[in-house]
């Protein structure tokens, strides 16, 4: 019984506890406990950092409150953080060393510079050690060209920043070489770039180009920090930021620059410090493989094909590409025939392997074993319904497109002409058988404006017209009239006869053209003869008029002399006038030297003759005269008559004066001559010429000094 009663009580207790558990589940949970219930993840599982309760499958995750630093992170400057991590003694030591640099290159010390100093001397020591191995190979070349262009020597560390002293370095954007030149900049600096050679990778040529570019940038900014920024970002970009912000220094523009340019100047300063104090930081070691420059020898190719691998074998190197390190600008290990002049560099110590081999034999050995690759020929575009351009081979095999259309042949020949003095548009048009409007249109000349001497003109001279076609034989006409699809069969004899007939036709055409040419020449000669005859006739008429005019003048002079015989006082001026006119006439009748500004029209008016007479008397081909040319103003027969007249005139005057009372004429008046001062004459030269003293000339002509003027008339007494 007790056992039965006991078993009956047990289910009652268990039911009591079960009811209490259900009641607790139905009651609402507290707010704090509700916040601790995690939200399920996308897969429907709930992850908790707390261990699971016994028999419980729900995991609880504790979340941080939103007022902690993790919920709202504060950004920290990496350079500032590195500055704070660096011991103060090391910061002060590096700052003192950088401040003691005696250079014009940028060397300002701050947290950004210290961050890169730590990078190169502690965290990434292997990078700077690889640079130190190549330092002695390239720095002497950099220093030579920097000194040549009067730039700071410490700018040599800029190549370390750009390429780590690797001449074949290439950036993702295409900058190449030790100094990382872009294509347009290299073109501006005259660095050759083609499929065979890229001179951006040539150490000496690229270094000299970099010095020129740095000198140009310094002339723009006059600040080396801005020069380095412009070298990386571009001068135009830096100038635009300066105009937009109004700032003038690099550190003022620092926040407005891209990240690469902001870090460029601090990197340069850190590299300069790290390489100068490499031993202090333990960067130099005996295990490093240092490279040094060695004496080099050269081999000029002069347009011959060349294979650098065969030269490497001739020099005794196992590596066939060993010499490419001395010629880094070669994009391939060979050069084609006909390439521009190129000089290959190789160590001078390797020349002993050549022995007594001369240059031609060495170049023959270095010929490429296989033909070098050539660029593919450009294919013409193929469009539907449009025929492509014909090739050169097809044009050479046929007569070409102009054989079908003769009217498309050029009808003019281009002739350059330089305008000479005296030439006009009308004379040029008549000379070249073209119109004046054509000359103006070809040379864009304004209408109504004269041509200037020395102007270069382009004239299109008409080509001779083709000879009329010879009537074809009936057999040829039938052959042409036949359909093109049927090709007539021509025997060898008939073909030979056709060739002979064609040759005969060509000879006949040539003979006709020669006759036409001779007729034109004959017509030109006749025109010239007619012009010459007209000029001679005009000269004869003018000579007759001049003779009549002189005869009238002589008669008038005789009349005046007869009237002057009455008084001796009136006779003395007449003698002086006649003597002066007698002396001036031979002077005017002699040769005349053309001066600046003279022309035939002006000279003809001055000497009372016509232009046609001057052309005929001086045998001129045109109406143009040049300075220094000698001209005469009388015909040959007339000149003799003029020469005789002065000789006879003094005799007549002497006879008339002899008839006058001798007491009225003095010895000085009987023996005197009038001289016209010429260019270069002085009173001393005139006295020596006529055998008198300077004192006599001054007394007779009432002169107060020895100066005479051009064209002045002097009375010269005769001894």
């Amino acid at each position: 019984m007790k056992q039965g009663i006991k078993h009956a009580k047990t289910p009652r207790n268990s039911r009591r506890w079960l009811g209490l558990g259900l009641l607790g589940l139905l009651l609402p949970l507290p707010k704090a406990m509700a916040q601790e219930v995690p939200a399920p993840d996308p897969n429907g599982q709930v992850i908790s950092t707390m261990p699971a309760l016994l028999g419980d499958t729900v995991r609880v995750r504790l979340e941080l409150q939103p007022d902690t630093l993790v919920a709202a992170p504060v950004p920290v400057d990496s350079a500032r953080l590195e500055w704070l991590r660096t011991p103060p003694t090391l910061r002060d030591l590096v700052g003192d060393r950088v401040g003691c640099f005696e250079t014009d290159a940028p060397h300002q010390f701050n947290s950004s510079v210290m961050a890169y100093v730590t990078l190169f001397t502690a965290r990434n020591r292997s990078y700077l050690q690889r640079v130190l191995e190549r330092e002695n190979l390239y720095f002497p070349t950099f220093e030579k060209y920097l000194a040549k262009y009067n730039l700071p020597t410490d700018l040599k560390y800029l190549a370390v920043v750009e390429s780590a002293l690797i001449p074949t370095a290439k950036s993702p954007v295409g900058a190449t070489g030790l100094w990382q030149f872009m294509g347009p900049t290299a073109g501006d600096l005259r660095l050759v770039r083609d499929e065979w050679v890229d001179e951006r990778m040539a150490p000496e040529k690229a270094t000299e180009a970099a010095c020129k570019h740095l000198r140009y940038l310094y002339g723009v900014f006059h600040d080396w920090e801005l020069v380095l920024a412009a070298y990386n970002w571009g001068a135009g970009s830096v100038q635009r930021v300066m105009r937009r912000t109004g700032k003038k220094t690099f550190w003022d523009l620092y926040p407005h620059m891209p990240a690469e340019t902001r870090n460029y100047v601090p990197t340069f300063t850190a590299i300069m410090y790290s390489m100068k104090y490499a031993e202090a930081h333990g960067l130099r070691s005996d295990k490093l493989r240092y490279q040094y420059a060695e004496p080099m020898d050269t081999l000029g190719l002069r347009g011959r094909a060349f294979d650098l691998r065969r030269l490497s074998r001739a020099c005794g190197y196992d590596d066939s590409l060993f010499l490419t390190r001395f010629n880094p600008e070669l994009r391939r290990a060979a050069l084609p025939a006909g390439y521009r002049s190129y000089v290959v560099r190789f160590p001078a110590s390797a020349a002993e392997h050549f022995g007594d081999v001369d240059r031609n034999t060495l170049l023959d050995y270095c010929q490429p074993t296989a033909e070098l690759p050539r660029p593919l020929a450009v294919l013409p575009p193929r469009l539907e319904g449009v025929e492509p351009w014909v090739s050169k081979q097809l044009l050479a095999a046929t007569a070409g497109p102009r054989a079908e259309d003769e009217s498309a042949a050029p009808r003019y020949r281009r002739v350059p002409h330089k305008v000479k003095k005296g030439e006009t548009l009308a004379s040029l048009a008549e000379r070249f058988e073209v119109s004046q409007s054509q000359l103006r249109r070809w040379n864009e000349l304004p209408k109504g404006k004269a041509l200037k001497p020395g102007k270069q003109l382009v004239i299109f001279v008409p080509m001779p017209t083709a000879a009329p076609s010879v009537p074809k034989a009936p057999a040829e006409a039938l052959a042409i009239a036949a359909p093109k699809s049927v090709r007539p069969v021509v025997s060898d004899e008939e073909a030979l006869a056709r060739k002979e007939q064609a040759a005969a036709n060509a000879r006949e055409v040539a003979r006709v053209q020669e006759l036409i040419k001779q007729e034109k020449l004959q017509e030109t000669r006749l025109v010239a003869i007619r012009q010459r005859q007209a000029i001679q006739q005009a000269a004869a008429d003018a000579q007759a008029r001049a003779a009549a005019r002189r005869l009238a003048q002589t008669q008038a002079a005789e009349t005046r002399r007869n009237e002057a015989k009455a008084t001796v006082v009136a006779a003395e001026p007449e003698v002086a006038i006649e003597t002066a006119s007698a002396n001036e006439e031979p002077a005017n009748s002699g040769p005349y030297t053309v001066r600046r500004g003279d022309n035939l029209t002006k000279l003809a008016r001055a000497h009372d003759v016509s232009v046609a007479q001057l052309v005929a008397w001086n045998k001129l081909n045109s109406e143009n005269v040049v300075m220094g040319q000698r001209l005469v103003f009388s015909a040959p027969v007339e000149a003799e008559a003029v020469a005789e007249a002065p000789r006879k005139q003094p005799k007549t005057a002497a006879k008339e004066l002899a008839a006058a009372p001798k007491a009225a004429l003095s010895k000085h008046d009987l023996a005197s001559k009038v001289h016209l001062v010429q260019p270069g004459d002085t009173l001393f030269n005139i006295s020596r010429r006529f055998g008198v003293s300077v004192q006599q000339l001054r007394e007779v002509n009432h002169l107060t000094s020895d100066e005479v003027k051009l064209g002045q008339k002097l009375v010269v007494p005769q001894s």
Side-chain angles (χ1 to χ4, degrees), residues 88-350:
T89 56
L90 180 59
R91 292 200 307 260
D92 296 340
L93 178 62
V94 174
D96 292 341
R97 288 174 177 176
V98 173
C100 292
F101 288 163
E102 295 182 359
T103 178
D104 293 334
H107 57 281
Q108 183 174 346
F109 182 74
N110 50 30
S111 59
S112 300
V113 175
M114 189 64 214
Y116 282 103
V117 168
T118 305
L119 174 66
F120 295 132
T121 59
R123 294 163 52 193
N124 195 2
R125 295 167 59 88
S126 61
Y127 168 81
L128 200 64
Q129 287 178 338
R130 300 289 80 79
V131 172
L132 291 174
E133 290 179 346
R134 296 182 287 269
E135 175 186 6
N136 298 322
L137 183 61
Y138 295 108
F139 274 13
T141 303
F142 298 165
E143 293 170 358
K144 179 181 70 173
Y145 283 102
L146 289 170
K148 176 182 176 181
Y149 287 91
N150 197 22
L151 298 175
T153 308
D154 287 333
L155 289 178
K156 61 186 177 182
Y157 299 106
L158 182 61
V160 180
V161 180
E162 290 286 351
S163 62
L165 299 184
I166 301 175
T168 57
K170 189 172 183 179
S171 69
V173 296
T176 308
L178 286 169
W179 299 90
Q180 293 291 288
F181 283 121
M182 296 294 290
T185 307
D188 295 340
L189 296 172
R190 303 296 189 267
L191 294 177
V192 177
R193 295 176 299 116
D194 53 29
E195 59 178 336
W196 301 100
V197 172
D198 190 349
E199 290 185 350
R200 292 180 294 177
M201 296 184 287
E204 293 211 6
K205 294 183 179 179
T207 301
E208 187 170 9
C211 293
K212 293 179 181 178
H213 189 49
L214 290 171
R215 183 178 62 177
Y216 160 73
L217 293 177
Y218 186 76
V220 175
F221 297 102
H222 298 284
D223 185 279
W224 284 114
E225 291 179 338
L226 291 177
V227 166
L228 295 185
Y231 191 92
N232 175 260
W233 194 21
S237 301
V238 175
Q239 288 175 328
R240 283 192 294 271
V241 172
M242 293 175 66
R243 287 194 297 267
R244 187 176 70 246
T245 61
K247 309 294 184 180
K248 299 299 181 181
T249 63
F250 172 79
W251 297 106
D252 292 339
L253 297 171
Y254 187 86
H256 307 280
M257 292 183 176
E260 181 182 356
T261 308
R262 284 201 304 266
N263 299 331
Y264 197 75
V265 174
T267 304
F268 173 82
T269 306
I271 286 287
M272 181 169 59
Y273 166 79
S274 302
M275 295 190 70
K276 284 180 178 291
Y277 290 93
E279 294 182 358
H281 291 274
L283 294 173
R284 296 189 184 274
S285 173
D286 297 337
K287 298 180 181 180
L288 300 181
R289 295 177 296 177
Y290 295 102
Q291 301 178 19
Y292 297 92
E294 56 182 314
M296 304 299 295
D297 202 348
T298 58
L299 178 64
L301 303 184
R302 299 179 184 176
R304 299 185 62 173
F306 181 78
D307 192 345
L308 194 63
R309 291 165 291 194
R310 295 185 64 83
L311 181 61
S312 298
R313 295 171 186 170
C315 293
Y317 299 111
D318 297 333
D319 184 7
S320 60
L321 297 178
F322 180 79
L323 293 182
T324 54
R325 69 185 64 182
F326 303 105
N327 302 274
E329 66 271 16
L330 287 178
R331 303 181 67 176
R332 305 182 185 182
L335 289 176
Y339 191 73
R340 63 185 182 86
S341 179
Y342 184 78
V343 178
V344 179
R345 294 163 53 88
F346 59 91
S349 58

Side-chain angles (χ1 to χ4, degrees), residues 479-491:
I480 294 175
K484 293 184 179 180
S485 60
V486 180
R487 179 176 295 179
V489 179
V490 181
S491 61

Side-chain angles (χ1 to χ4, degrees), residues 617-631:
W617 292 341
N618 296 277
K619 299 179 181 180
L620 301 177
N621 297 327
S622 64
E623 297 182 2
N624 299 328
V625 291
V626 296
M627 189 171 62
Q629 186 176 356
R630 299 179 69 83
L631 302 176

